[in-house]
Amino acid sequence: ARSEAVDTPLFDDEEAGSLAGSLSGSLGDHGVIEVVGPAGERLSEHELERVNNALDEDADGEEVLAENATTKLYRTQLLCLRDGLWLNDEVMNFKFDMLNEQHSAGGARKVWVWNTHFYVKLMDHQEKGGSKCYTYSNVRRWTKRKKLDIFQLDRVVVPVHEGVHWTCAVVDFVAKRIDYFDSMHIENPACTDALAQW
């Protein structure tokens, strides 16, 4: 079964409130939104100072501010978190790596989040008319490289970038369906069809 433009939230009301709260507030000294923690608590002066320093565009842009096993995030990449700027895929992929590490830490992995390049590659081949189409050969080895047996997972999350708008598809092996989440409630049958084929 397949569904389109699902209205079911990814988060329950409490989680959504927490997430929304973490994105609200007044602007700090550098035009940075003063964020609150996941439980709605305000950041300490020290934490807020660290955020403002990290997002200071006058500081060394090549300074590594975060690092995991596969990726380094530089200040220049994190500047997209400033108010009014567009989120970049380096920051998103870093977070996805963190989520995958967290899901792996407890033993059996149940969720996998692909990076932002997966869907781009899956839909990379240009048809004669210029539109993108499904190209499995571009991602054929991705699961082997990551040592993933997708059929042992409950869900696979696929970030989708449609020009200037980020959306998300979830292949739900438990419910046997593919959900497409779009804040603008636009359907994307090309995405869900390609993921069903994959």
Side-chain angles (χ1 to χ4, degrees), residues 62-115:
E62 296 307 309
E63 182 182 353
V64 176
L65 297 181
E67 189 171 2
N68 63 25
T70 60
T71 311
K72 291 180 181 181
L73 271 182
Y74 299 90
R75 175 176 277 111
T76 54
Q77 294 168 318
L78 285 173
L79 290 177
C80 72
L81 297 175
R82 292 173 51 93
D83 187 43
L85 299 179
W86 294 43
L87 187 59
N88 68 39
D89 60 344
E90 290 95 351
V91 172
M92 293 179 65
N93 287 332
F94 188 84
K95 180 61 177 178
F96 298 153
D97 285 346
M98 289 175 58
L99 290 170
N100 287 332
E101 287 174 17
Q102 289 171 354
H103 286 292
S104 298
R109 177 184 292 142
K110 293 295 180 186
V111 176
W112 179 260
V113 184
W114 282 117
N115 67 32

Side-chain angles (χ1 to χ4, degrees), residues 181-192:
F181 297 92
D182 184 339
S183 61
M184 297 173 65
H185 304 286
I186 298 171
E187 294 183 3
N188 189 345
C191 174
T192 54

Side-chain angles (χ1 to χ4, degrees), residues 10-11 68 70-71 89-104 109-119 142-143 145-150 152-160 166-173 181 195 198:
L10 283 172
F11 306 99
N68 63 25
T70 60
T71 311
D89 60 344
E90 290 95 351
V91 172
M92 293 179 65
N93 287 332
F94 188 84
K95 180 61 177 178
F96 298 153
D97 285 346
M98 289 175 58
L99 290 170
N100 287 332
E101 287 174 17
Q102 289 171 354
H103 286 292
S104 298
R109 177 184 292 142
K110 293 295 180 186
V111 176
W112 179 260
V113 184
W114 282 117
N115 67 32
T116 58
H117 306 291
F118 178 80
Y119 184 72
W142 284 42
T143 54
R145 217 176 19 180
K146 297 290 183 181
K147 298 180 180 157
L148 281 177
D149 179 355
I150 62 168
Q152 296 300 312
L153 299 172
D154 291 344
R155 290 175 191 84
V156 172
V157 179
V158 181
V160 178
W166 285 100
T167 62
C168 175
V170 177
V171 179
D172 188 330
F173 291 106
F181 297 92
L195 291 172
W198 171 69

Side-chain angles (χ1 to χ4, degrees), residues 114 118 121-122 134-145 198:
W114 282 117
F118 178 80
K121 287 295 191 183
L122 185 68
Y134 174 80
T135 310
Y136 174 72
S137 61
N138 288 346
V139 296
R140 178 181 59 193
R141 295 191 175 116
W142 284 42
T143 54
K144 185 180 282 191
R145 217 176 19 180
W198 171 69

